[in-house]
Amino acid sequence: MRYVQVVSSALSLATYALAQEGEVASKVVCDAATKICYSSYSDAGSGMTFGIALPKNVTAPYDAIIKITAPVENTWVGFAWGGQMVWNPLTVAWANGKSATVSARFAFSMGLPQGYDGAEHILLKGTTTNTTHWTVNALCKGCTGWLTNEELAYSLNGTGTTQFAWAYGNSAVEDPASNTSAFNVHAAFGHWIHDLNAARIDNFESLVKSNLLTAPIAAPAPSTIVTSVVPSATNKPANAVIPASCAGVGNPAFQSNLASGWKATKIAGGLTSPRSIQFDTAGNMLVVQAGKGISYHAMGADGCTTSTKMLVTLNSLNHGIAMSPDGKTLYASSMTQAFSWPYDAAAGTVGTRTTIITGMFNGGSHLTRTLAVAPNLPNLLVVSHGSNANIDTASADKKTARAIIKVFDLSKLPSGGYNYVSGGWNAGYGQRNDVGITFDNNNMLWGVENSADDIKRNGKDVHTNNPSEKIHYMGDVSKPNDAWYGYPTCLTVWQPSDFTDKQFQVGDWFVQSPSGSTTDENCKAQAVAPKLTLMPHSAPIDLKFDPDNTNLYITYHGSWNRSPTTGFKVVQVAIQKGADGNYTPVAPLTSTTGAVDIFWNPAVEKCQGNGPSFSSGCFRPAGLAFDKQARLYMTSDISSNGELWVLGKA
Ligand SMILES: *[C@@H]1O[C@H](CO)[C@@H](O)[C@H](O)[C@H]1NC(C)=O
Ligand SMILES: *[C@@H]1O[C@H](CO)[C@@H](O)[C@H](O)[C@H]1NC(C)=O
Ligand SMILES: *[C@@H]1O[C@H](CO)[C@@H](O)[C@H](O)[C@H]1NC(C)=O
Ligand SMILES: *[C@@H]1O[C@H](CO)[C@@H](O)[C@H](O)[C@H]1NC(C)=O
């Protein structure tokens, strides 16, 4: 699967500097009505215009006026102050009756950009909607500077040039009157080089004053949440293990179906993109909320939460969390770094943060860095790092340290932390994006891989039902594992009938264009086969064994690049212990039925998997964790109303 392409895939500060070297595409345009002159860029293809006006004095922090004009078909437009979707202030605007709404947003990861309190917009005269176009004209305080992913202050050079980016959508925003409205994924995006020096105008302050709207701006209307609920198939009386309901959590946002004998109960709502779950040694549940931090949920004996608070507030955290087996050290990751904190489970507090890993890739299309601690070797932290693109050719060299899993000995932590690329040792490479990693009861490492999009065989499109997502076995992490798991060259067949040049079986290796030494046969000789293949485009992002390792549970986050949509469910894979004492799936590699549905959306083809969407129309399984009573907890990371669920046998 693929997350939405980042508007510009390289995100580093170096890129901001480089971007300034391109050809300037803006010119000065003055508006007769407001008397404001803008440094203005018109995008011919989309019919949109973006104007910026700045004060003469651009010593940071400084304000800006932004004017966006767009055809009414563009139901929302985003303007990225740092020239990319993630990690910069976004001005997002849309038509609202005869006026328009403007919203300050920030995408801390791939998902619906959240409200951003570091910037504030004040609508100015010239904000209108007519039959063909809408225009937002607004003062922005806080748009020209921000903190980067690594908490460094960055501000736009107001006497230079910079790269900006636009995006627009063409499906209705959820609630046009509200500046906190959700909206759906963009239909198109682009970027250009803008002259900021030319945006500096005389009388900035007085022009702002003379163009303030006198009429009060309507208060945002509350946004609505879909609450249609169908009773699940298993409507049996409450069982001691899984609560029938939890007080005060509200109805589930979406309908769901359950496998026979199973029960699922929503235990919390209103979370911000909840991702991975970690239980502490006292039974409290910690949840990474992407773009927000880590929340702490004290749990009752009934499996419901009894209280909730924020444990760590840190916008850069987006997925990874782990804990030392003694429960005294908490770990979490951002796109580029991993951190540790001394942790007190009973008090629900952390001590001072230490940066333990730096230098993970800044940008690309896979931004999460999943963490796990080896249960038997508590000094070993395992960190999974995906590729930086659909096909990241350079990652074929394990030294790039992408599409790889690495292990770091924290008992030998260098001052300032390990560099991800040069430090540690490998636990396998050539895994495109193993977002889920976990250990079995033999302390052996497993992972679940998100495989590639847009795949062809000798030019023939085979992407709808190939390649397979996969379950990988990496094994013992105490020693370097330099085995190659196939990516970016070798992919796995799911639907053999799509291949016309050769007879394949499910689970066979294939290359896109056989030639020279790039052959299916060489894949077989050189790459470690998966343990089991999974439905293409399912986007599996977590896997956990049940306590006795008879089943593996996997969240399918849901597809991006497949029509009809697939995924959006939790599946179960039966596991057995072989004669050699190793665990392995019961189903053979040639099977496509090794994963069975446990908890799923009734009409998956209606779920929207393509990136930031205002609701997805579906619950969206993300993280999993078992508590000590063997209850399976799950996050659903719908951006605007994330939920926690508990699942178990009824
Ligand atoms: C520009 O603004 C900064 C910060 O507000 C101030 O310190 C500085 O004196 C100003 N410069 C001029 C030339 O007005
Ligand atoms: C929405 O508008 C209110 C009132 O102007 C403002 O305080 C808030 O920051 C805005 N929120 C966003 C996300 O722009
Ligand atoms: C609608 O607004 C656009 C953009 O300001 C303008 O170019 C156009 O002439 C307007 N159309 C009408 C009918 O007023
Ligand atoms: C801002 O850009 C101008 C023009 O390129 C350049 O002369 C100046 O050094 C830059 N300022 C900073 C702080 O980089």
Side-chain angles (χ1 to χ4, degrees), residues 67-367:
K67 184 180 175 191
I68 302 176
T69 299
V72 289
E73 296 76 37
N74 296 5
T75 49
W76 64 263
V77 172
F79 175 93
W81 290 87
Q84 65 225 357
M85 177 181 157
V86 298
W87 279 98
N88 56 181
L90 306 172
T91 296
V92 184
W94 50 82
N96 176 32
K98 290 195 164 145
S99 181
T101 298
V102 63
S103 178
R105 300 293 176 109
F106 205 105
F108 293 103
S109 59
M110 297 296 186
L112 179 69
Q114 297 165 25
Y116 174 54
D117 57 15
E120 186 193 0
H121 293 86
I122 297 157
L123 283 178
L124 301 176
K125 286 176 189 166
T127 299
T128 55
T129 296
N130 66 23
T131 52
T132 63
H133 289 78
W134 56 265
T135 298
V136 152
N137 192 32
L139 173 71
C140 183
K141 292 178 171 292
C143 283
T144 62
W146 59 93
L147 289 182
T148 69
N149 178 55
E150 294 184 354
E151 298 156 84
L152 304 171
Y154 178 79
S155 85
L156 292 173
N157 180 353
T159 59
T161 61
T162 195
Q163 174 172 289
F164 286 141
W166 56 261
Y168 69 82
N170 48 25
S171 62
V173 303
E174 192 175 31
D175 182 2
S178 166
N179 69 1
T180 59
S181 175
F183 50 89
N184 220 313
V185 65
H186 56 67
F189 60 81
H191 38 72
W192 73 98
I193 303 295
H194 204 100
D195 186 351
L196 288 184
N197 192 43
R200 294 163 61 221
I201 55 170
D202 292 321
N203 308 326
F204 181 89
E205 305 296 337
S206 63
L207 285 168
V208 166
K209 275 205 191 88
S210 60
N211 284 298
L212 286 173
L213 297 174
T214 43
I217 300 157
S223 38
T224 49
I225 293 162
V226 184
T227 51
S228 52
V229 187
V230 283
S232 65
T234 53
N235 235 352
K236 291 179 190 162
N239 170 297
V241 179
I242 304 299
S245 65
C246 294
V249 304
N251 287 326
F254 302 106
Q255 301 178 4
S256 54
N257 286 348
L258 271 169
S260 158
W262 280 79
K263 186 167 178 171
T265 300
K266 175 180 170 181
I267 66 155
L271 285 85
T272 302
S273 295
R275 299 281 293 195
S276 306
I277 304 172
Q278 174 70 52
F279 280 94
D280 69 18
T281 46
N284 304 297
M285 180 171 48
L286 309 185
V287 177
V288 177
Q289 298 189 44
K292 189 171 178 186
I294 299 172
S295 51
Y296 171 99
H297 307 263
M299 306 302 291
D302 62 355
C304 297
T305 64
T306 56
S307 69
T308 290
K309 65 178 180 184
M310 283 309 286
L311 176 69
V312 173
T313 299
L314 187 57
N315 299 133
S316 61
L317 302 185
N318 65 358
H319 185 85
I321 187 169
M323 188 161 295
S324 60
D326 68 4
K328 291 183 179 160
T329 309
L330 175 65
Y331 305 101
S333 60
S334 71
M335 168 172 62
T336 56
Q337 299 182 327
F339 311 104
S340 71
W341 295 259
Y343 177 66
D344 181 334
T349 54
V350 290
T352 305
R353 166 160 59 113
T354 304
T355 301
I356 55 171
I357 295 171
T358 63
M360 293 190 280
F361 192 75
N362 190 341
S365 43
H366 299 127
L367 310 185

Side-chain angles (χ1 to χ4, degrees), residues 557-571:
H557 197 229
S559 67
W560 198 98
N561 190 228
R562 184 181 196 275
S563 186
T565 308
T566 190
F568 291 87
K569 61 189 176 188
V570 176
V571 299

